[in-house]
């Protein structure tokens, strides 16, 4: 369920955005990957007790959407409305994305502000009228440089192709309005230099640096050959280039020129999450637009790589037809959220397979994590009637667990919260889960239970308290990744009466040992990760 955003005042919110997705088609795994990453990042920061703003939305203008709508016999607006309400928003709800807002570029709150922004740049002399002819990819909605094109083969022999879409480009010649992007090469390079973390990962940063060092061309920011877009305010024969329109969503959605209090306490974004195919728009054009307007620049543009399925890239131009729901119906939503961040290093290309997902689900989620939770609950039930005993006989083995937890919390907080290394952060928590499993194997509580002496009872109580208290922390640490599972565990540990709602638990404080009080009612809750059914026939 999407959380409703409350108006933020005072200190600046930690502001994260996804790209606004193009509504020419339904969402695929790549879109879901980026959006889940942003959701985990913002949930993590909320559980640090910070003010957070998480924005996603849809990009609804441009020639490609106009053509798609025409091909489907509807107006572009009707097409966008249908996709947004029937595909995009339902998927984010299904995947438990807690976005604070959802902006659509056809909304008046956006289009009015886009016109004001562009008019302002025009009045400042940043925009001029000029002519341009060049190869244009409708898929990218972008003029290409000749050196970026591929030679066509087969059915496209003799033609030049877009390197991303592998489709022929069109030669467009237009009289357009241009933004003086070329004047920003040096300023951008100075900014990249002064802010080494501005573009992540390093490979993406290097690509942008190399591109800008060659010198930037002025950017055509209007189109007059079609009319599905925001009208240029001083010349209504032109619509504003869809990328300029789209990038401005990051400002218009948080009150640009409309709600100064909200704008100042939210803008600029701390992190723009993007696919690497749209890196240049975010790392070059967007900061140049902000510089021209005298607005602050975002903290970081973080590009994720391609998802590969059996070697085939899941990009917007090469769908293999796997919907996120095809996976969640088999593995469940939480395992889905976990899997892609766990299996693929964020920022790198990574491959996905059904077999890899199944194997990790069974070994890491069901065996390591799920079994630990069910064993501990079962033993507290069997030996203590479901009432969590106190730990009165802590020794070296327990001390190692306390230290293991502190290490896991510090590492996960740094990796997920600061470095966007979701894989590393998740592994830090799962290493701790493994450590607790090892602790139980070594301590053999089922043997200690046969010892009826007071010392034996105290040992057994200490072992089970240590395991349950470890799980209390794991529930908090994995809540941003797998909220439904963590809630089940929280309920099973009887944590809520003493500690309050799971969502209010602070990640840093989860390292504090002994928060779960003795006497808590531990119940054998729902199985966290049920055994998988056979793979459905393709
Ligand atoms: Zn293209």
């Amino acid at each position: 369920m999407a959380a409703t955003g409350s108006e933020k005042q005072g200190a600046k919110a930690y502001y994260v955005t996804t790209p606004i997705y193009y509504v020419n088609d339904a969402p695929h795994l790549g879109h879901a990957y980026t959006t889940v990453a942003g959701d985990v990042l913002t949930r993590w920061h909320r559980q640090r007790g910070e003010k957070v703003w998480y924005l996603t939305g849809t990009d609804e203008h441009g020639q490609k959407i106009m053509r798609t709508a025409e091909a489907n016999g509807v107006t572009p607006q009707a097409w966008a409305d249908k996709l947004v309400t029937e595909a995009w928003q339902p998927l984010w709800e299904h995947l438990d994305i807690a976005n604070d807002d959802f902006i659509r570029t056809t909304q008046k709150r956006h289009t009015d502000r886009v016109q004001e922004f562009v008019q302002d740049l025009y009045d400042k002399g940043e925009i001029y009228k000029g002519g341009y002819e060049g190869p244009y990819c409708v898929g990218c909605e972008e003029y290409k440089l000749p050196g970026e094109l591929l030679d066509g083969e087969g059915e496209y022999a003799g033609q030049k192709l877009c390197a991303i879409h592998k489709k022929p480009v069109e030669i467009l010649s237009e009289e357009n309005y241009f933004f003086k992007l070329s004047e920003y090469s040096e300023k951008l390079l100075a900014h990249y230099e002064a802010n080494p973390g501005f573009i992540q990962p390093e490979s993406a940063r290097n690509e942008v640096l190399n591109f800008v060092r060659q010198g930037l061309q002025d950017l055509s920011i209007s189109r007059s050959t079609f009319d599905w877009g925001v009208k240029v305010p001083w010349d209504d024969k032109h619509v504003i280039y869809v990328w300029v329109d789209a990038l401005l969503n990051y400002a218009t959605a948080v009150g640009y020129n409309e709600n100064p209090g909200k704008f100042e306490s939210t803008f600029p974004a701390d992190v723009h999450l993007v696919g690497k195919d749209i890196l240049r728009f975010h790392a070059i054009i967007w900061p140049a637009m902000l510089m021209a307007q005298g607005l602050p620049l975002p903290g970081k543009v973080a590009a994720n790589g391609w998802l590969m399925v059996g070697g085939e890239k899941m990009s917007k131009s090469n769908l293999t037809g796997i919907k996120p729901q095809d996976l969640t119906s088999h593995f469940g939503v939480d395992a889905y959220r976990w899997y892609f961040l766990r299996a693929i290093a964020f920022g790198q290309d990574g491959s996905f397979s059904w077999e890899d997902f199944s194997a990790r689900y069974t070994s890491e989620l069901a065996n390591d994590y799920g079994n630990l939770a069910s064993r501990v609950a079962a033993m507290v039930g069997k030996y203590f009637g479901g009432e969590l005993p106190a730990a009165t006989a802590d020794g070296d083995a327990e001390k190692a667990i306390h230290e293991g937890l502190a290490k896991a919390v510090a590492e996960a907080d740094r990796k997920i919260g600061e470095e966007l290394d979701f894989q590393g952060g998740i592994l830090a928590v799962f290493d701790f889960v493994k450590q607790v499993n090892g602790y139980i194997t070594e301590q053999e509580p089922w043997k200690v239970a046969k010892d009826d002496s007071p010392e034996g009872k105290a040992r057994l109580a200490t072992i089970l308290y240590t395991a349950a208290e470890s799980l209390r922390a794991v529930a908090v640490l994995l809540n941003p990744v797998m909220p439904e599972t963590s809630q089940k565990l929280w309920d099973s540990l009887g944590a809520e009466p003493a500690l309050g709602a799971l969502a209010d638990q602070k990640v840093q404080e989860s390292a504090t040992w002994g928060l779960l009080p003795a006497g808590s009612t531990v119940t054998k809750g729902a199985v966290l990760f049920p055994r998988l059914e056979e793979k459905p026939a393709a």
Side-chain angles (χ1 to χ4, degrees):
M1 249 192 39
T4 48
S6 54
E7 207 75 358
K8 312 274 176 171
Q9 301 292 335
K12 188 190 169 304
Y14 183 74
Y15 175 29
V16 177
T17 71
T18 72
I20 49 171
Y21 300 113
Y22 222 28
V23 292
N24 64 313
D25 208 345
H28 58 63
L29 295 180
H31 305 117
Y33 178 56
T34 310
T35 307
V36 168
D39 191 54
V40 171
L41 178 62
T42 46
R43 282 175 183 266
W44 190 275
H45 279 260
R46 281 192 206 100
Q47 285 201 241
R48 278 177 165 186
E50 296 170 20
K51 291 201 321 187
V52 169
W53 198 259
Y54 185 32
L55 176 69
T56 189
T58 42
D59 182 2
E60 306 185 2
H61 289 131
Q63 192 166 16
K64 185 162 60 170
I65 285 164
M66 206 180 72
R67 287 181 181 174
T68 306
E70 274 167 10
N72 284 274
V74 295
T75 65
Q77 187 66 64
W79 175 257
D81 289 348
K82 182 179 161 64
L83 265 286
V84 168
T85 56
E86 293 178 13
W88 289 88
Q89 288 177 331
L91 177 63
W92 300 151
E93 267 188 44
H94 175 64
L95 293 179
D96 251 333
I97 305 301
N99 52 301
D100 295 289
D101 194 3
F102 187 103
I103 188 156
R104 302 181 53 185
T105 56
T106 53
Q107 289 168 333
K108 193 171 160 54
R109 64 165 170 156
H110 175 74
T111 56
D112 284 359
R113 303 289 92 74
V114 168
Q115 287 190 317
E116 289 162 11
F117 187 100
V118 172
Q119 179 74 54
D120 234 31
L121 288 189
Y122 187 61
D123 295 345
K124 286 177 174 159
E126 295 281 348
I127 290 173
Y128 65 92
K129 196 170 194 179
Y132 192 79
E133 183 178 278
Y136 191 84
C137 172
V138 173
C140 295
E141 299 275 14
E142 182 185 36
Y143 279 103
K144 298 291 176 181
L145 299 173
E148 294 180 295
L149 301 175
L150 305 175
D151 289 318
E153 293 171 4
E155 61 172 319
Y156 299 135
Q159 301 185 69
K160 293 288 185 182
L161 309 185
C162 164
I164 292 170
H165 290 91
K166 313 282 192 291
K167 294 255 176 66
V169 291
E170 302 173 16
I171 299 298
L172 289 192
S173 108
E174 290 183 85
E175 179 143 271
N176 283 328
Y177 291 97
F178 286 82
F179 167 52
K180 295 177 177 170
L181 182 62
S182 62
E183 294 184 358
Y184 288 89
S185 304
E186 292 308 316
K187 287 175 200 158
L188 286 167
L189 288 170
H191 186 77
Y192 305 148
E193 182 86 12
N195 300 274
F198 182 67
I199 303 166
Q200 190 179 314
E202 191 65 25
S203 56
R205 177 182 150 85
N206 291 337
E207 187 210 307
V208 169
L209 252 64
N210 289 336
F211 187 79
V212 176
R213 280 185 187 132
Q214 292 165 32
L216 296 170
Q217 296 185 315
D218 287 347
L219 176 72
S220 162
I221 59 125
S222 73
R223 299 288 181 269
S224 57
T225 51
F226 63 93
D227 65 355
W228 180 237
V230 180
K231 289 212 179 324
V232 170
W234 63 88
D235 184 347
D236 67 7
K237 289 191 292 297
H238 290 254
V239 292
I240 294 166
Y241 174 42
V242 66
W243 265 107
V244 169
D245 166 2
L247 289 164
L248 281 168
N249 92 87
Y250 304 129
T252 63
V254 294
Y256 170 73
N257 252 16
E258 189 179 32
N259 183 342
K262 176 165 177 179
F263 189 66
E264 272 155 37
S265 64
T266 316
F267 196 85
D270 294 83
V271 180
H272 289 305
L273 296 172
V274 302
K276 68 179 179 185
D277 54 332
I278 55 171
L279 174 67
R280 284 185 202 171
F281 297 98
H282 288 81
I284 300 172
I285 297 175
W286 175 229
M289 285 166 60
L290 293 172
M291 285 174 174
Q293 194 62 280
L295 289 170
L297 268 47
K300 189 191 288 292
V301 177
N304 57 249
W306 300 118
L307 293 187
M308 326 276 277
V309 182
E312 207 173 338
K313 191 172 64 186
M314 299 286 304
S315 79
K316 62 183 177 181
S317 54
N318 194 2
L319 292 170
T320 63
I322 304 174
K323 295 199 303 285
Q325 291 91 334
D326 297 335
L327 297 174
T328 58
S329 62
H330 184 72
F331 295 100
V333 167
D334 271 8
Y336 179 93
R337 290 170 57 96
W338 169 85
Y339 171 74
F340 288 96
L341 297 177
R342 157 66 185 89
I344 297 164
F346 199 70
Q348 311 300 313
D349 292 344
S351 63
F352 144 82
S353 75
W354 189 280
E355 292 69 25
D356 184 59
F357 197 164
S358 294
R360 289 189 194 280
Y361 179 100
T362 300
S363 74
E364 297 175 36
L365 293 183
N367 291 353
D368 287 353
Y369 180 22
N371 275 354
L372 175 63
S374 63
R375 281 162 88 199
V376 170
M379 287 190 283
V380 174
K382 185 173 174 190
Y383 302 129
F384 293 95
E387 189 179 308
L388 186 66
T392 55
D394 279 352
D396 286 349
E398 286 71 33
K399 208 171 143 226
I401 295 289
H402 306 169
E403 285 166 0
L405 173 62
K407 179 168 167 276
V409 171
E411 211 169 305
D413 191 37
R414 177 169 51 82
K415 290 190 167 167
I416 296 177
E418 300 300 327
E419 297 171 0
L420 277 61
D421 174 8
F422 300 100
Q423 184 183 57
I426 289 169
L427 283 175
V429 181
F430 274 78
D431 281 348
F432 178 63
V433 167
K434 282 202 179 84
Q435 189 189 355
V436 178
N437 272 319
Y439 166 80
I440 291 181
T441 305
E442 280 166 24
Q443 299 304 318
E444 301 181 305
W446 46 90
K447 279 193 187 158
V448 178
K450 290 175 185 150
D451 178 353
D452 260 348
S453 71
E455 292 76 22
K457 282 233 154 65
R459 254 332 278 160
L460 182 63
T462 299
I463 296 165
L464 293 182
Y465 181 84
T466 301
E469 169 64 356
S470 298
L471 284 168
R472 185 271 313 159
V474 169
V476 175
L477 294 170
L478 292 179
N479 190 41
V481 184
M482 296 186 280
E484 203 184 314
T485 303
S486 278
Q487 188 61 52
K488 283 181 194 164
L489 180 54
W490 198 246
D491 293 342
S492 148
L493 294 169
E496 191 132 344
L499 300 177
L502 176 58
D504 296 335
Q505 308 302 308
K506 305 286 183 287
V507 284
Q508 307 94 317
E509 289 166 18
S510 68
T512 305
W513 190 260
L515 294 180
L516 188 63
S520 293
T521 304
V522 176
T523 50
K524 214 175 166 192
V527 175
L528 298 188
F529 301 100
R531 188 184 294 274
L532 294 173
E533 305 291 323
E534 289 292 298
K535 181 184 175 180

